[in-house]
Amino acid sequence: MKSNIVVQKYGGTSIGDVEKLKLIAKKIVEKKLEGFSPVVVVSAMGKTTDELIEMSEKVTFSQTQPDLREKDTLLSTGELVSATLLAMSIKSLNQEVISLSGSQAGIFTDQIHGSARISDINTKRILKEIDQNKILIIAGFQGVNTQGDITTLGRGGSDTTAVALAVALNATVCEIYTDVKGIYTTDPRIVSQARKIDFINYEDMLEMAVLGAKMHPRSIELASVYNVPIYIAGTFSETKGTLIVKGENMENNKTVTGIAIDKNVSKITIKKIKNDPGTAGSILKPLSDQSISIDIIVQNIPINGFIDFSFSISDHDIQRAYDILMGQENLDFEDIIKGSGFAKISLVGTGMQNAPGYATEMFNALGEENINIEMITTSEIRITCLINEKDVNSAVNALHSKFELDKE
Ligand code: ASP
Ligand code: MG
């Protein structure tokens, strides 16, 4: 049987209220009437997940973190609400439909509550329902572990549910419907000239997703491994969205694809620490032991055997990291300075791999705007600068026009 399965995912804002859910129900039925078998993944409605998290934190005594097993089951209910309501709405349009939880849909994960990874999908149930001509609505963001407990995939994880289902069901494309019209060269709220991109390759998209554009990075990784195209578009928009595909399918081959922005960045500097073999490791080990990841690292030239060691870290982790480092008795340093209010801006483009000079041009452009660069890091396809958050607007606007991203 030739697959006419189409996997679609609707994000939280697209189904923010009951009226929106009804509009989406109609869209899905239209797709069915066109001859497709829609397998639809939904997020929780609006801010439901945030509200559930807040409640879970309020219900515990003292500073105790909520139990992770219970929390996962709690959070999974958000997606169950939207899935069941959407199914009821579709049913009332006289269409055969069934909603399934992640567990009912056969989505198996590892044991890690709160950031579980999908290990396998048993498609038997889904295929049986499709065979009976039913539309499927599947609760995103969740699965079940081998103990039979419900797990969740981490914030934004419904994207990954959708791509994983597209892979398992051999769908030709995974359609992600959201509140933006596609992927832009940069944040259109910051640069009015920002342009919607028709095609982007997985590598560039991954960098954009990690550093700015909102998509669960694991979904892009998965799509790239199995070569499933992702189409991302506005839920209620008629304009064409962006297709995320393999490199060679790209329509245009611009060197720079876009500028990613990550605003919630802090910085820690450890002043005057002895520069011995193993120093960097002994600073970072206690942090990684607590699952705190750090990002750009700068270590300056030793003076009399001492160095300053700085790194960037997300705002979310800064206080914890600071406390942990301050509490390390075996670390001998003069002081630790922490600061917030930084942002990372990154020039992204697979085309930069074989084209030298982009870093220089970027630094010059920032210099001309009188913007100080605090830290720099590069990969083959990305150049990232840490700057003051107050400079983001002028920096990104300058770079966007410098690299002519407003032009096709
Ligand atoms: N509802 C979950 C969240 O808010 C998952 C998702 O939206 O993809 O993170
Ligand atoms: Mg999302």
Side-chain angles (χ1 to χ4, degrees):
M1 189 186 84
K2 193 178 164 296
S3 162
N4 58 353
I5 294 174
V6 47
V7 174
Q8 297 189 326
K9 179 244 163 181
Y10 293 92
T13 39
S14 307
I15 47 174
D17 57 50
V18 176
E19 288 313 313
K20 285 188 178 157
L21 263 178
K22 287 167 89 173
L23 289 175
I24 289 181
K26 283 191 185 157
K27 266 180 76 111
I28 295 167
V29 170
E30 270 168 35
K31 196 85 191 173
K32 179 82 199 311
L33 296 177
E34 282 168 30
F36 292 97
S37 298
V39 173
V40 177
V41 174
V42 284
S43 292
M45 291 169 75
K47 296 247 168 285
T48 307
T49 310
D50 291 330
E51 287 159 15
L52 292 171
I53 292 175
E54 214 184 298
M55 278 199 274
S56 77
E57 282 163 0
K58 281 191 180 149
V59 85
T60 57
F61 292 98
S62 63
Q63 299 290 339
T64 324
Q65 290 296 316
D67 181 80
L68 292 177
R69 177 194 176 274
E70 303 304 332
K71 188 174 172 186
D72 264 0
T73 308
L74 174 74
L75 296 193
S76 74
T77 63
E79 272 69 12
L80 293 179
V81 171
S82 45
T84 46
L85 287 174
L86 185 57
M88 287 175 205
S89 182
I90 291 174
K91 188 99 194 201
S92 74
L93 294 168
N94 290 322
Q95 287 292 322
E96 287 306 315
V97 57
I98 185 166
S99 73
L100 297 175
S101 68
S103 159
Q104 289 172 319
I107 300 174
F108 291 94
T109 74
D110 63 18
Q111 312 289 332
I112 315 293
H113 284 293
S115 55
R117 285 178 174 260
I118 297 175
S119 47
D120 189 25
I121 300 185
N122 180 345
T123 54
K124 218 170 130 192
R125 174 79 189 266
I126 296 181
L127 290 175
K128 190 188 103 197
E129 303 295 350
I130 292 178
D131 238 27
Q132 295 175 6
N133 209 20
K134 284 184 200 150
I135 295 172
L136 274 112
I137 313 293
I138 295 174
F141 172 60
Q142 56 186 274
V144 61
N145 65 22
T146 46
Q147 271 140 269
D149 286 329
I150 292 170
T151 51
T152 64
L153 309 182
R155 296 307 304 270
S158 310
D159 293 336
T160 297
T161 305
V163 171
L165 282 168
V167 170
L169 296 169
N170 224 333
T172 41
V173 61
C174 178
E175 302 176 348
I176 306 277
Y177 290 102
T178 171
D179 53 345
V180 293
K181 295 192 180 105
I183 304 301
Y184 285 76
T185 48
T186 194
D187 188 340
R189 289 167 303 185
I190 293 177
V191 179
S192 58
Q193 246 66 272
R195 190 172 50 80
K196 186 161 55 59
I197 309 170
D198 289 342
F199 296 91
I200 184 169
N201 65 32
Y202 296 119
E203 291 82 3
D204 285 350
M205 182 57 206
L206 199 53
E207 296 288 356
M208 299 288 277
V210 173
L211 293 155
K214 281 183 293 167
M215 249 194 99
H216 202 223
R218 273 161 51 196
S219 67
I220 320 276
E221 265 164 30
L222 195 61
S224 128
V225 170
Y226 292 94
N227 201 10
V228 177
I230 299 177
Y231 177 70
I232 170 162
T235 311
F236 302 109
S237 149
E238 294 298 318
T239 37
K240 203 164 86 190
T242 301
L243 196 63
I244 310 171
V245 281
K246 238 167 100 167
E248 50 262 35
N249 293 342
M250 274 183 75
E251 186 184 58
N252 61 22
N253 254 326
K254 285 199 113 173
T255 316
V256 179
T257 304
I259 304 166
I261 305 164
D262 182 1
K263 277 195 174 168
N264 307 307
V265 186
S266 293
K267 196 176 105 176
I268 284 185
T269 300
I270 303 176
K271 288 291 238 189
K272 246 184 137 181
I273 186 163
K274 203 97 186 263
N275 182 33
D276 289 331
T279 298
S282 55
I283 294 171
L284 301 181
K285 173 98 184 359
L287 301 178
S288 61
D289 283 349
Q290 298 296 319
S291 299
I292 296 178
S293 46
I294 61 132
D295 193 23
I296 314 175
I297 302 173
V298 172
Q299 170 181 326
N300 66 358
I301 301 163
I303 299 171
N304 299 329
F306 288 93
I307 52 162
D308 288 348
F309 187 94
S310 310
F311 55 85
S312 70
I313 185 166
S314 81
D315 282 352
H316 178 75
D317 289 330
I318 175 115
Q319 190 57 43
R320 224 157 47 97
Y322 178 82
D323 293 342
I324 291 171
L325 289 173
M326 276 304 211
Q328 296 299 306
E329 274 160 15
N330 56 337
L331 282 185
D332 202 3
F333 50 81
E334 189 184 87
D335 200 5
I336 299 183
I337 298 164
K338 64 176 162 76
S340 296
F342 295 98
K344 276 187 300 189
I345 49 169
S346 306
L347 221 52
V348 173
T350 13
M352 291 193 296
Q353 287 179 98
N354 307 309
Y358 279 85
T360 319
E361 276 194 61
M362 180 180 189
F363 306 152
N364 284 344
L366 295 176
E368 280 160 26
E369 296 292 312
N370 256 320
I371 293 167
N372 199 36
I373 303 171
E374 303 276 336
M375 289 178 168
I376 298 168
T377 177
T378 62
S379 79
E380 286 200 313
I381 65 167
R382 171 173 56 81
I383 308 162
T384 300
C385 295
L386 186 79
I387 60 172
N388 259 305
E389 195 170 324
K390 66 168 175 46
D391 292 329
V392 164
N393 282 21
S394 47
V396 181
N397 273 287
L399 294 173
H400 200 269
S401 67
K402 171 110 183 177
F403 293 102
E404 303 194 326
L405 294 178
D406 49 330
K407 306 207 176 84
E408 284 275 337

